[in-house]
Amino acid sequence: ANNDTKDSFQMKVDTPSISWHNREPIFSIDSHPSGRIATAGTDKDVKMWSYQPLEKNSISFLSSLNRHVGSVNIVRFSPNGEYLASGSDDHFVLIWQKKAEGEGVVSMGNLMGDDEDAKENKEHWMVKYTLRGHVSDVYALSWSPNSQMLASGSTDNSIVIWDLSKKEHNSQVIKEHMHYVQGCAWDPLNKFIATQSSDRTARVFQLNGEKSKKKELFSHKYTIKDRDFDQISAEETEGENKQKHFKIFHDENLNTFFRRPDWTPDGSLLILPAGRHLESPTSEALNTVYLFGRNSLNKPVMHLPGHHKASIAVRACPIYFKQTASPSRFGLNYRMVFAVLTLDSVVVYDTEKDIPISYAHGIHYAELTDLAWSQDGSHIFVSSKDG
């Protein structure tokens, strides 16, 4: 993506001919400030890659991190770049740390003792922490801004808050959702955590301050699940069974394991995928993405409909861009850009318009699963079930 100050971005799509995970489905991807890319999927491994966009062979293999014994569903680098967190069907969250040059190399074989890939590794990563607390598959991870805490979500319907600075890492278990927790996003201003579930809700939890009398680290603040119709006729409001609201998220039949929300880098907006919108009780539901202001997290400030297939993830670009419209839609003196991942496309928006500034479709042969921005905002990386 060409990140200039024009109204639209010019996006060039490249699909490297690499058997990333032996052509098995890839469920997650994330990028590191150094240019590394981490990927993970059903082969139970986390792979580390080097990306150098100006070189002819821009992608090269660095390392295979193979300690999990189940499919790896999500990988996320910590904000300070020191750690990589991975969550798996084996119920564990592993925190990886790169070994410094010259340190002794420890076998990176998995728990079953298979370490053949370690011979090809150009760099070595060790498991710094093994986090045990979930009793089912881990689908969601999000770091705190200071890289000391981590939130994880699972098909055991719970969110676990981990504190890496404490001996007992498990700080709080939150059991508010009624179905799988498929995504979570830690507020960059360190006040909220937002979660999404296949129970058709998103929930916002607020950090309790040091002066709070509550023992829990986080308390439930909002449940987001429905909204009023924009248009409703007099006939449709008559009678005791009149329908005034609709569910704003897809149900558990949505063909994805993930619903991955995100905050804009300034924390002013929370963006939730897997949305659906109805104009009236008799209209057809439209796929959409909902945006919430941090001062009105119980009511959307806008939505972005028109996607052919349901959205499953959102990632905000870490870079701020020059304002091009005045007055700004959200009272900002800059604009921010975010990418929406649907099952078959990548749609890029900014905070000044409600129409896309860029769009890519048909870039993979199977459903898309995750996306990540490069740290300079110039590239978007997308993973897919086609491997």
Side-chain angles (χ1 to χ4, degrees):
N2 177 17
N3 58 343
D4 55 20
T5 59
K6 298 178 182 179
D7 289 342
S8 63
F9 282 22
Q10 294 179 344
M11 188 182 297
K12 178 182 177 181
V13 177
D14 181 27
T15 305
S17 299
I18 297 173
S19 178
W20 297 80
H21 288 257
N22 299 316
R23 301 197 182 280
E24 294 188 44
I26 301 173
F27 285 158
S28 188
I29 189 166
D30 201 24
S31 67
H32 186 273
S34 67
R36 290 182 184 84
I37 302 171
T39 59
T42 59
D43 66 350
K44 307 174 186 178
D45 288 353
V46 176
K47 303 285 190 186
M48 202 71 68
W49 310 84
S50 172
Y51 180 65
Q52 303 296 332
L54 299 181
E55 296 182 7
K56 183 176 180 180
N57 298 317
S58 58
I59 300 285
S60 60
F61 173 79
L62 289 177
S63 187
S64 182
L65 289 60
N66 48 356
R67 283 286 299 275
H68 284 292
V69 294
S71 295
V72 185
N73 302 310
I74 186 164
V75 285
R76 290 292 184 264
F77 286 106
S78 59
N80 65 5
E82 184 176 355
Y83 302 117
L84 175 75
S86 58
S88 168
D89 283 359
D90 62 16
H91 311 173
F92 293 135
V93 175
L94 300 183
I95 307 299
W96 303 83
Q97 186 176 41
K98 182 179 176 293
K99 296 182 72 66
E101 296 292 336
E103 282 191 85
V105 175
V106 179
S107 170
M108 289 288 97
N110 66 26
L111 300 181
M112 301 302 292
D114 180 12
D115 62 349
E116 293 183 4
D117 286 336
K119 299 175 183 178
E120 302 178 3
N121 290 345
K122 298 177 183 177
E123 62 184 28
H124 298 274
W125 291 69
M126 61 178 288
V127 174
K128 180 75 171 179
Y129 305 107
T130 299
L131 307 182
R132 301 174 175 87
H134 289 293
V135 295
S136 192
D137 308 352
V138 179
Y139 278 1
L141 293 171
S142 187
W143 287 92
S144 65
N146 66 1
S147 301
Q148 287 300 306
M149 303 188 74
L150 182 74
S152 60
S154 167
T155 57
D156 62 14
N157 305 353
S158 74
I159 303 111
V160 177
I161 309 298
W162 310 91
D163 189 341
L164 303 185
S165 67
K166 295 182 178 179
K167 185 176 181 180
E168 297 294 331
H169 300 309
N170 186 333
S171 290
Q172 184 180 358
V173 179
I174 301 172
K175 295 183 177 181
E176 293 277 348
H177 283 290
M178 304 303 293
H179 211 262
Y180 303 161
V181 180
Q182 298 181 307
C184 59
W186 202 302
D187 167 25
L189 302 184
N190 201 37
K191 185 177 180 180
F192 302 109
I193 290 177
T195 61
Q196 273 194 266
S197 167
S198 49
D199 66 7
R200 306 187 77 174
T201 71
R203 297 175 191 257
V204 178
F205 302 90
Q206 182 171 331
L207 179 66
N208 296 319
E210 296 181 358
K211 297 180 180 179
S212 173
K213 296 181 180 180
K214 297 180 180 180
K215 294 181 179 180
E216 298 83 7
L217 194 64
F218 284 89
S219 296
H220 178 263
K221 182 71 172 178
Y222 299 113
T223 296
I224 305 166
K225 61 181 180 179
D226 53 30
R227 67 177 299 195
D228 296 337
F229 288 105
D230 289 343
Q231 301 172 8
I232 190 163
S233 67
E235 291 80 7
E236 289 167 332
T237 61
E238 292 179 354
E240 294 182 359
N241 296 322
K242 58 189 177 184
Q243 185 181 2
K244 293 184 178 180
H245 314 283
F246 65 92
K247 298 288 186 182
I248 68 172
F249 298 114
H250 284 280
D251 61 22
E252 68 274 11
N253 294 316
L254 182 61
N255 184 29
T256 181
F257 297 135
F258 315 113
R259 304 175 190 224
R260 292 169 163 160
D262 201 11
W263 297 83
T264 52
D266 65 351
S268 65
L269 294 170
L270 170 65
I271 312 170
L272 301 178
R276 56 193 294 275
H277 178 76
L278 284 80
E279 293 290 334
S280 74
T282 57
S283 64
E284 183 179 353
L286 302 173
N287 292 315
T288 194
V289 172
Y290 285 101
L291 282 72
F292 295 77
R294 77 178 290 111
N295 295 322
S296 58
L297 290 171
N298 59 337
K299 184 178 180 180
V301 294
M302 67 179 297
H303 74 104
L304 302 169
H307 308 128
H308 175 65
K309 292 191 176 182
S311 56
I312 60 169
V314 177
R315 293 297 289 271
C317 178
I319 303 298
Y320 297 90
F321 296 87
K322 183 179 178 180
Q323 181 180 356
T324 61
S326 183
S328 170
R329 179 189 295 271
F330 300 108
L332 305 172
N333 58 6
Y334 48 86
R335 66 175 175 143
M336 295 174 289
V337 173
F338 58 93
V340 173
L341 188 74
T342 78
L343 289 167
D344 66 353
S345 63
V346 181
V347 190
V348 182
Y349 296 89
D350 69 10
T351 50
E352 293 185 344
K353 292 175 289 295
D354 55 7
I355 59 173
I357 60 174
S358 196
Y359 173 81
H361 174 77
I363 57 178
H364 283 277
Y365 296 108
E367 290 89 354
L368 307 182
T369 56
D370 199 9
L371 77 165
W373 288 86
S374 62
Q375 296 299 308
D376 65 358
S378 64
H379 292 75
I380 301 172
F381 308 107
V382 179
S383 60
S384 166
K385 289 183 181 179
D386 63 12

